[in-house]
Every structure is written in structure tokens, then in C-alpha cells.
Amino acid sequence: MPKLIINDVEHDVPDGITLIQACDLVGVEIARFCFHERLSIAGNCRMCLVEIAGMPKPVASCAMSVNDLRPGRDGTLPTIMTESPTAKKAREGTLEFLLINHPLDCPICDQGGECDLQDQTMAYGYDAGRFQDNKRAVEDKYLGPLIKTCMTRCIHCTRCVRFMTEVAGVDELGAIGRGEDTEITTYLEHGMRSNLSGNVVDLCPVGALTSKPYAYIARPWELDKTPSIDVMDALGSAIRVDARGREVLRILPRINDAINEEWISDKARHVCDGLRTQRLDQPYVRRNGKLEPASWDEAFGVIAEKLKGLDGARFAAIAGDLPAAEEMFALKQLAEQIGSPNIDCRQDGAKLDPGLGRATYLFNTTIAGIDNADAFLLIGTDPRVEAPLLNARIHTRWRKAEQRLPIGLIGTEADLTYGYDYLGAGPETLAEIADGSHAFVKTLKDVKHPMVIVGQAALARPDGAAVLALAAKAAKTIGALNSDWNGFNVLHDAAARVAGLDLGFVPGKKGLDVEAILDAAGKGDMDVIYLLGTDEIDMDRLGDAFVIYQGSHGDRGAHRADVILPGAAYTEKDGTYVNTEGRAQMTARAIFPPGDAREDWTILRALSAVLGKTLPFDSLQDLRARMYEAHPNLALLDFIEPSDAATITKLASKPAKTGMGHFDLRIEDYYFSNPVARASSIMVSLRAMHADGSEKATGTDG
Amino acid sequence: MSIRRLAAEQPEGFAFTSANLEWAEAQIKKYPEGRQASAVLSLLWRAQEQIGGWLPEPALRYVADMLDMAYIRVYELVTFYTMFNLAPVGRYYVQVCGTTPCMLRGAEDIKDTCRKFIGEKDRVNDDGMFSWTEVECLGACVNAPMAQINNYYYEDLTPEKFESLLKRLRAGKDVEPGPQDGRQTSAPAGGPNTLTDPELYANDPSGPEPGSAGTTVIATEAKRPASKREKRPR
């Protein structure tokens, strides 16, 4: 622990950090543009200059390690002065140089109000520039449909370049030219091929990279900011929903080191325009084969008539990928009241069984645990698509590894941004790993903390349960199950799934699962099917069943429905979601649902009253009290119960008779994987760009 | 210096000749496993030599693929280093030094000669024989003003000498590189003016013969090993 004197106060600071971090720790703020804690050190903006006693010149504090400082000749501790006349003058000089080539266009710049340069100019700027010559002008670059560029504003901090290379894992951005002619661009200005590219907008300390869809929409001080949780994947990334009036204008990441650090995927960030379009804003009832607007009473009346005297076995409920725990709990209760055991939250048909224990369907190592892992076995998963930030963590782990990190993939080959060994396509290879005969197992001899990550593609198959057991066996074989390390992980891609499994939203005694429900519906054995935000099943298989769709978007489910009950999207309700680690988190209402749409649990409560089977709660608090009573883990917000490795060991001992065939890609159409995304025009242009690079012609290049 | 962009017109593709490919593979082998990208500058330089003084876009991708690098990384390099030309150059690529010592000794006149004889800066002239550009200090200040033509320095220029030099190059005649005013490399222009006293060498058997300082020094200089002279062109 080196001792330092920072601004006349003596401090002990940790080893191995830089001076700027030490100053941050003790509460002394130093201005910076290029330094970022999660990126490598560049030291090129020179804004963080400080004076160090005995040093002839000011020192860039971001690039100076606290361990490299020497005491004074008289034995005094290294003395750092951040506010001395020299330090201040150095920073003022740096800023004046930066402003020489920076346009004074703050009034028309989208960064205005949240601009590092603007803020620091208030602190260190002169009142007038002394520069008399022409300013530099730089051509704007095309970087895809998400990022608007105004490259004249760029101060060359290279944060964006470092982010894309180090975190996103793609060498897309670079700094071309030199000196005054330096420019940030992609190779020949193609759009950035990464689903994390939107983060460079947050990183840019000036207005050079701004959000294209959000251009000229609002100023930051006009927005109501609501901390919430993302539902585009099952990680539950922390987001901030910025709304004005009744519209969500943008979504930004919040810092949560346990999950998303401070990044979010492009889908989570830019899906917000999908919250405005294709919305269900009033109930509909199908009359004479045509959906017609109706009142809530009419819609409930039609449902009540259909359900009157119905045998519970002829009713089924399927929950989709986006509903919160509250409405799934309410729907489960309603189904119980109706007497139906046919409920399922696994619309993809994944063979996960809450009866086997919670650890069998969770990401037990936790996302932060990836940083400690020293080997990976990916089974039927493409984490880059299913959970982009989780993939970024693996990439970071891979990049920082001193030796080659053993990573094996069983399934479909994909570009994961890091090197891996392709082991095989399906259960046969997994069986070889499980019995230890595969060559990959031998490379894991010295690893202490291997991780097995099972994707949904491996489980959403007829032999999914056997694959799960086999994966547990493989985990045991490679030594992933110890008393202090549970390396068995199931990676979900639907935000609602884990909460559904926690709630036991799975078939009861003699109940049918999704596959069986659809089969029964096709044969005419199922009369009423309740879809709670369920859009990813094959609607043609529903046959002649009477379909109730409750959800936020007019998508596949609503098109097939006989009654539509308009619900709220994730930004419009307080809902509990459990992420793939088993961490319960809550979204918060940022805006109200549009038109007559209501929060989902209230719809189910109102419907139950019309059916004469009133659910026993009148407020969200009531509902939650009951839910927490039955499922206490949902009450532990932002907490992970230590997982039980014994459950996995037990699972591993189950006989596993798997089928053949390879594990497919789980999400083939990443930008279209849920109803909100399908309603988003930005997702459409992203999809076009990633499909064939023809995005420039779609007119989104504003 | 100015903003450097890839040329508007690009050839279809690029590949090393078999000799160059063999050479390139040997270069790559110099570096330890996983560090092959270190060979990028030498490979790019060889590619530029093969094409005739410039780097087309397909060559960037070819070298990047060969070294398993991202295209943008190679693009960064070739735009950073000004010795990589991104647009075609003439058969004789004239780089006139315009930095202070040369400028004070008349580099502006040399540039005027270029404009008159070749044409606009950074443009290949009509017959494709010449193009010229201004560069920063080439480190031959003693012999200012000077210019580099392809791989050789031509020093102590005057506009007249330079023009006749360019004319001889165009005519395919032999042009001796080095000082164009008869001076011995960077020795004093009018011959040696120090250490000229023969007495100095009286007791030094390795030195020149007594009484033959000056010119003899130049003469011994001139008898440098033949191998060094062989490298000169034409």
C-alpha cells in the first residue's frame, strides 16, 4: 500500500492503480477525456495533468502508477498537487488546445447538457479563445444506423476505438492518419458490425458520436429518468429509461458491475421506438372472423361466456418471453381457479424442470464469476447473440488470459469474437466429454474453475432433459462441480423464463406442456388457450381453439387471437424479473401504457372477477405479499442465493439417453426475436445492415 | 501533410509474386507464434515495391488476411506512415525536401522546376514517367537542396541541374546519384579546408602520402569497396 500526499493530505492507496484512480478513491476529482476505468490506458488527451513534487513537468495522472512515484530527497512522501497553479495552468492549456479545433456549435449539438468537454470548459476554459486561424474540419463518417457522427467535434480520445477492440471484441473502429489529420472511422466506412456498438455514444466525451435515432429529439434536462431493467435478453441489464410525456425517448445503461458493467446491447438501447408502434391500445374481439375494437366489459364478457362450465383440462395458458413475475403469478392462480393443470412458461419447449432444483436452470457461476473462470465449455449456445454482454465478459476474460484459455463449443459454429475449439455438433460429442474420452477433457487437466454453459438450443429439443443431464455429467467430469465452485450454467435468452420456472409456471399433475397443448389444440381437444405475451409459438397449430392474447404488441399472437387484452410493456409497469443467474430485479414504470391498455396483473384480476373466480388480491402490494409467501426468492431483490452443487451432481447421475443431430442456432433473427423488437424500425435497419450491408440504401442514413 | 485517402480507382485484386510470397513467408517466420502481425510493415513495403510505388486497397486486404489482422489496423498503418503511397506514382517518384535547411538553400526553386517540368504536386504526369511531392527532412541537410528519386538521393541541386537531371532520366540516360556539383559526398564544397597540412601525416603510415592531402583524401574516399558502389543504379 503506497503512501501518497494528495493535496496536502496523506493517504494509503491500493497497489497497482494509477494516480487518477487513487485521486478518485480519496475524493479528489481530476478532469479527463481519454481515461476510462474499463478500457486500456491511452494517455493521449493530457487533460489529467497534475503536478508532482520533484518532477520537472506536469504528469498525466492516468498513465502514472502509484507504485512508480519516488519520495522526495528529504524522505517526504510522494506529493501530488492537483490544484496547484502549475497543474491548473497545464490543464487550462490542454483545454485551450483541444478547443482550437473544436467547433463552438453546442446549441445545435446533441451532446449539449451531458458533454464532458462542455462541463470541463466551464471549469478550465478561458473566456475567449486566442486562436486566430482557420479551424480544422473533418468529413463525417458513416458508422451504421445507430451512430450519428460529427467528426469535426472529435478530440481523438480513442475511447470508441478501445471499446470496440477490447470490450466488444471486434476490430472495427480505428484512427487513421496522424497528427492533426487523425480521423476515427471504420474500414471504408461500413456500418459497425457489432451488437454493442451503441455504447460508443455513451463513451464519447464530446458530441462526435451521438445517437442517430435520438438526433435532435430532446435535451437531457427535459427527460424524466427512471432506473429500470432490460428485458431484451435474460441478463437483466441495468438501464435508465428516459421519457418525456408519454414517450420513451431513449434507453441508457446504468452501472451494475455484477451484470452489465456499464454497457448494454444495441437491442436493449434502441428498441424503444418499438414501444411506440404496433401497440395494442384497446381490447379487440373477433366477430365474424374480423378483429373489432371492443370495450373491456365486452371483451371480458366474451371470455366469460366461453369459459362458462368449461372443463379445466380443456383450458391452457402459455406465458411468453417478456411478462413479469406478477402477471404470471396471477395467471397461474387463475388457471388453478379454472381447474387447469395445462400451464407452461417455456414457449420454446425447453426441457427445464423446476422440480429438479433451482440450480438446474440457473447460471450458477454468476455473470461476474466469468472473470474467475479458466475454461469454458459452450453447449448449444451462441452467447454473442443470446447474451451479448455475457459474451463480452467471456471475451474480456479470454483477452486477459496469460495463456491460451481453453474454450470449447458444441453446437453450431459462430463468430464469438474469441478463439475457441469447435468440438462437435451435438449430443454425441457431449457424451464423449461426459465420459472423459474426448481430447478436450485432457486439455482441462490443470484448470481449477471450468464453466459449462448450456444454451437453450440444446434444451429445446425432444431429448432436452437428457441433454441437460448429460451436460451436468460433463460438468462433473471436467471438475466444474466443487464445494466452492459451481460451474454448471444454463444460459437463458428470455427475460421472463427464470421467474416463470421459479413460480412453477409449468404443467401440473397430468398437465400438458407447450408441445402437448399445441398438439391437443390441433386435434380440437383444447377449447380455450390463454397467451400471455406468447408470440414465438407456431400459431397455425392452435387449430380452432379460442385464443385469448394478452400483451403489449400487435404481433403474431394478437393476429391469431379471438380476444385481445392490451397490456403494458416493460417500461410501463412495475414488474419483477429474474435474470438467468436467479437474481430478482424490478422494472419501474417510466410512462403509462397507451390508450386503454392496463398493467397486466390488473387485467387478470379484473377478468377473474368477471369469471366469478376473484383472485385474492386488490393491489400490487397484496399480490406481491402472496407471491413472496409462496416463492420467497422473488422477494430477495438483487440477491443471488448460493446455488447448490449437490443438485447438479444428482442431475448428473440421471441416465441420459440423448438423440442425435446437432444443436441449432437458438436465435436466427437476433434483431427480430421478440414483439417489441419486431415493431422497432431501428431493428429493421440493423437487421438489414447485418444481413447484407445494404443499409445505406434504406434511407435511414439521416 | 494532408488528409490521406485511398485512390478513387483501384485494381481488381492483388497477390504477391511467387518470389515475394516466399520472401514474405520468411519474414513472417521471424516473429514468434501469435505475433505475425509484426511483419506488416515489411510486407506492405514489399507490396508497394511490387506494384510500383503505391498501395492499392486490395493489397491492404491481402496483407491483412495474410497476417490475420483486421483491415482497419492495416488501414491505420498505411495512412499513418507517409512513405506508403495510397495513389499511383510516376515511374520516377520525386520527393523534394522542403524542410528549413533545404528551403533556405533554394528548395522552393526546385519545387518550381518540378511544377514546370512534371506538373502539379501529387499528380502523375501525362506520360506516366514522373510524379513529385514535397516531404519533410530527408536528413541530407549538408547537401541542401536535395530530392529523393525512387531509392536514391540527388543532392546539391540547382534548378538547371535538376531539370537536366530529370530530362536525362526521361531519356533513359544514366544519372549518377549523390551531389550534383562534383563534390565528394558531404565534404566541404570546394574540397577540404582543414587538416590540409601534409606534416600531419608525416609519421602516419596508414595516412595519405605526405604532400598529397586534400585530393588524395578524396581519391581514397572514391576507392570505397566496390560492393557499395555496385548498388547504385544504372
Side-chain angles (χ1 to χ4, degrees):
Chain A
M1 295 267 281
K3 278 188 197 304
L4 307 175
I5 297 172
I6 299 173
N7 290 352
D8 300 330
V9 185
E10 194 181 315
H11 295 284
D12 277 336
V13 295
D15 277 308
I17 62 172
T18 65
L19 215 43
I20 200 168
Q21 288 171 309
C23 289
D24 279 348
L25 278 181
V26 303
V28 174
E29 198 183 322
I30 297 180
R32 84 281 307 260
F33 292 113
C34 71
F35 178 76
H36 194 282
E37 288 228 314
R38 295 177 211 276
L39 303 175
S40 63
I41 293 164
N44 54 6
C45 78
R46 314 312 287 180
M47 195 59 204
C48 63
L49 293 174
V50 296
E51 188 183 358
I52 300 177
M55 294 262 190
K57 291 194 283 183
V59 171
S61 59
C62 73
M64 172 63 90
S65 165
V66 290
N67 301 84
D68 290 345
L69 297 167
R70 280 173 295 175
R73 282 185 191 166
D74 53 356
T76 50
L77 294 174
T79 307
I80 293 105
M81 288 149 284
T82 68
E83 296 302 325
S84 67
T86 311
K88 271 195 87 141
K89 196 172 176 209
R91 289 205 288 267
E92 281 168 5
T94 300
L95 195 76
E96 193 177 358
F97 275 124
L98 284 178
L99 288 175
I100 276 180
N101 276 327
H102 192 83
L104 296 176
D105 60 353
C106 301
I108 56 148
C109 174
D110 260 326
Q111 193 84 350
E114 47 189 4
C115 174
D116 290 359
L117 186 59
Q118 207 175 27
D119 295 347
Q120 290 179 28
T121 304
M122 299 306 285
Y124 299 104
Y126 286 105
D127 56 349
R130 293 180 285 179
F131 185 66
Q132 298 288 330
D133 298 284
N134 290 329
K135 287 192 176 218
R136 183 183 85 120
V138 183
E139 288 168 23
D140 291 343
K141 306 288 184 294
Y142 176 82
L143 298 182
L146 299 182
I147 295 154
K148 178 174 175 251
T149 60
C150 185
M151 298 318 274
T152 305
R153 296 180 188 142
C154 178
I155 59 167
H156 307 136
C157 68
T158 68
R159 274 186 187 180
C160 51
V161 178
R162 283 175 282 147
F163 172 81
M164 291 309 287
T165 309
E166 294 162 16
V167 180
V170 288
D171 285 303
E172 287 278 282
L173 281 176
I176 63 158
R178 51 158 47 176
E180 187 185 32
D181 300 314
T182 307
E183 296 175 55
I184 305 290
T185 185
T186 53
Y187 188 66
L188 307 182
E189 290 193 40
H190 62 65
M192 279 203 271
R193 287 184 281 253
S194 165
N195 52 14
L196 293 172
S197 63
N199 293 299
V200 300
V201 172
D202 292 340
L203 282 171
C204 186
V206 296
L209 307 178
T210 53
S211 170
K212 203 180 257 182
Y214 177 70
Y216 307 128
I217 300 282
R219 285 297 190 190
W221 55 83
E222 300 174 300
L223 302 170
D224 294 323
K225 300 156 185 95
T226 314
S228 189
I229 299 300
D230 172 51
V231 300
M232 289 300 119
D233 53 40
L235 296 186
S237 303
I239 56 169
R240 193 184 89 190
V241 180
D242 283 6
R244 186 176 59 186
R246 303 201 62 162
E247 267 186 309
V248 173
L249 294 183
R250 64 172 179 180
I251 293 173
L252 296 177
R254 281 185 299 129
I255 294 178
N256 185 347
D257 280 329
I259 299 175
N260 57 323
E261 295 172 288
E262 57 183 284
W263 328 114
I264 51 173
S265 67
D266 289 352
K267 197 156 129 192
R269 183 187 299 265
H270 286 290
V271 82
C272 58
D273 74 324
L275 295 169
R276 295 196 283 272
T277 46
Q278 287 288 99
R279 285 308 297 269
L280 300 170
D281 58 357
Q282 59 181 351
Y284 286 84
V285 172
R286 192 178 292 276
R287 295 191 182 101
N288 306 325
K290 236 183 116 186
L291 281 169
E292 287 175 8
S295 71
W296 280 105
D297 289 337
E298 284 168 355
F300 286 162
V302 173
I303 297 171
E305 208 169 294
K306 274 279 167 195
L307 285 177
K308 200 182 276 174
L310 184 80
D311 175 13
R314 298 180 75 82
F315 174 90
I318 307 172
D321 290 348
L322 301 178
E326 282 81 359
E327 49 254 33
M328 284 192 280
F329 181 69
L331 182 57
K332 190 188 170 205
Q333 300 248 306
L334 185 65
E336 270 169 28
Q337 300 270 9
I338 293 170
S340 164
N342 308 324
I343 56 172
D344 203 343
C345 66
R346 303 157 302 185
Q347 62 170 336
D348 53 1
K351 299 286 183 292
L352 289 163
D353 183 0
L356 294 174
R358 202 158 177 251
T360 61
Y361 60 88
L362 291 184
F363 201 87
N364 296 305
T365 314
T366 73
I367 296 167
I370 289 172
D371 301 347
N372 303 322
D374 48 11
F376 295 87
L377 175 61
L378 309 173
I379 302 167
T381 180
D382 175 5
R384 194 177 175 194
V385 166
E386 289 159 35
L389 289 161
L390 186 126
N391 197 57
R393 282 250 184 174
I394 302 178
H395 174 265
T396 306
R397 178 71 192 85
W398 171 79
R399 196 172 53 81
K400 287 185 175 164
E402 279 160 19
Q403 287 150 0
R404 194 171 169 280
L405 194 68
I407 301 178
L409 174 71
I410 303 175
T412 308
E413 274 185 281
D415 178 8
L416 298 180
T417 71
Y418 41 82
Y420 61 83
D421 298 319
Y422 182 67
L423 308 179
E428 301 87 348
T429 319
L430 184 56
E432 279 176 37
I433 300 229
D435 63 26
S437 62
H438 196 283
F440 183 69
V441 179
K442 293 180 186 81
T443 64
L444 302 180
K445 232 182 287 165
D446 297 328
V447 303
K448 291 187 182 68
H449 296 138
M451 277 177 80
V452 174
I453 300 178
V454 188
Q456 299 298 309
L459 305 174
R461 328 166 5 119
D463 61 348
V467 173
L468 187 71
L470 198 55
K473 205 170 283 176
K476 205 175 156 196
T477 310
I478 66 173
L481 303 172
N482 301 319
S483 52
D484 60 337
W485 177 262
N486 185 344
F488 180 79
N489 300 287
V490 175
L491 178 61
H492 290 268
D493 48 29
R497 192 74 78 248
V498 176
L501 294 167
D502 280 353
L503 289 168
F505 203 100
V506 288
K509 257 191 194 146
K510 291 190 185 164
L512 306 178
D513 65 3
V514 168
E515 240 349 83
I517 291 170
L518 293 177
D519 282 346
K523 280 187 236 148
D525 295 341
M526 197 58 73
D527 288 337
V528 180
I529 298 180
Y530 201 113
L531 301 180
L532 182 63
T534 316
D535 288 285
E536 320 303 327
I537 54 172
D538 185 358
M539 298 295 165
D540 295 336
R541 291 178 62 191
L542 290 173
D544 295 328
F546 180 81
V547 176
I548 306 162
Y549 180 82
Q550 177 182 343
S552 57
H553 282 71
D555 203 75
R556 295 166 192 166
H559 287 222
R560 167 62 185 82
D562 295 293
V563 175
I564 295 176
L565 306 175
Y570 67 107
T571 49
E572 295 152 10
K573 62 189 170 198
D574 296 317
T576 307
Y577 288 89
V578 183
N579 81 350
T580 189
E581 304 166 284
R583 184 194 304 269
Q585 302 184 103
M586 253 188 228
T587 60
R589 184 172 66 204
I591 54 168
F592 288 99
D596 277 342
R598 292 288 180 270
E599 285 194 36
D600 291 87
W601 75 270
T602 61
I603 297 172
L604 287 154
R605 167 67 182 72
L607 176 62
S608 70
V610 175
L611 298 178
K613 302 177 192 311
T614 311
L615 294 173
F617 37 77
D618 294 321
S619 67
L620 193 56
Q621 283 72 24
D622 265 3
L623 185 156
R624 285 198 179 138
R626 283 172 184 279
M627 186 168 80
Y628 293 161
E629 205 180 308
H631 309 283
N633 62 292
L634 292 175
L636 303 171
L637 287 186
D638 206 17
F639 178 79
I640 298 180
E641 280 184 297
S643 62
D644 184 10
T647 326
I648 311 295
T649 319
K650 212 171 116 195
L651 175 67
S653 62
K654 283 183 53 158
K657 272 192 83 177
T658 56
M660 310 280 281
H662 71 294
F663 302 135
D664 292 325
L665 282 179
R666 165 67 169 178
I667 301 176
E668 281 177 1
D669 208 346
Y670 172 63
Y671 292 103
F672 263 18
S673 67
N674 66 47
V676 191
R678 282 191 286 268
S680 158
S681 63
I682 300 165
M683 293 301 126
V684 173
S685 42
L686 276 173
R687 184 168 173 256
M689 176 182 115
H690 287 266
D692 56 12
S694 66
E695 79 277 16
K696 274 190 184 177
T698 58
T700 50
D701 186 15
Chain B
M1 271 246 305
S2 56
I3 294 165
R4 291 152 55 78
R5 293 271 189 266
L6 297 177
E9 279 177 39
Q10 296 283 351
E12 286 276 304
F14 171 83
F16 272 138
T17 59
S18 57
N20 279 344
L21 191 64
E22 200 178 313
W23 174 88
E25 272 154 13
Q27 292 295 308
I28 296 169
K29 280 208 193 88
K30 283 183 182 174
Y31 302 98
E33 181 67 32
R35 298 273 182 259
Q36 284 74 12
S38 303
V40 65
L41 281 180
S42 38
L43 260 60
L44 283 169
W45 187 252
R46 183 54 68 99
Q48 173 159 311
E49 282 178 344
Q50 179 181 318
I51 298 158
W54 72 293
L55 278 174
E57 193 267 334
L60 306 189
R61 284 187 280 121
Y62 179 85
V63 171
D65 287 338
M66 204 163 170
L67 301 172
D68 201 16
M69 292 173 79
Y71 297 159
I72 182 74
R73 296 284 161 260
V74 179
Y75 188 38
E76 281 177 321
L77 282 172
V78 299
T79 52
F80 184 90
Y81 290 108
T82 52
M83 280 169 74
F84 290 121
N85 294 310
L86 303 181
V89 295
R91 191 172 145 205
Y92 294 104
Y93 176 49
V94 182
Q95 303 174 66
V96 182
C97 173
T99 308
T100 318
C102 280
M103 194 195 80
L104 293 174
R105 296 277 292 154
E108 294 296 323
D109 299 334
I110 304 298
K111 286 194 274 175
D112 281 340
T113 310
C114 284
R115 277 187 206 104
K116 202 176 90 196
F117 190 82
I118 301 173
E120 217 178 312
K121 191 173 115 179
D122 291 324
R123 291 274 170 79
V124 182
N125 75 340
D126 291 337
D127 59 7
M129 289 289 274
F130 291 100
S131 66
W132 74 280
T133 193
E134 180 183 342
V135 294
E136 299 302 325
C137 186
L138 289 173
C141 310
V142 173
N143 299 65
M146 59 77 66
Q148 180 181 353
I149 301 177
N150 291 351
N151 292 332
Y152 294 94
Y153 278 13
Y154 296 84
E155 299 154 326
D156 296 312
L157 301 172
T158 60
E160 298 74 33
K161 281 180 186 150
F162 187 51
E163 190 171 334
S164 89
L165 188 155
L166 293 177
K167 278 181 181 152
R168 272 179 288 152
L169 282 176
R170 169 170 279 164
K173 286 184 189 147
D174 193 27
V175 181
E176 182 76 353
Q180 300 298 309
D181 62 352
R183 154 193 198 181
Q184 174 59 41
T185 65
S186 54
N193 50 25
T194 55
L195 305 176
T196 48
D197 184 357
E199 289 296 309
L200 285 171
Y201 309 100
N203 300 320
D204 182 1
S206 70
E209 293 294 307
S212 66
T215 47
T216 325
V217 173
I218 294 172
T220 22
E221 260 301 291
K223 283 183 206 150
R224 278 179 307 178
S227 62
K228 272 194 182 172
R229 289 183 61 92
E230 269 170 16
K231 281 190 184 167
R232 294 187 173 185
R234 285 173 272 282

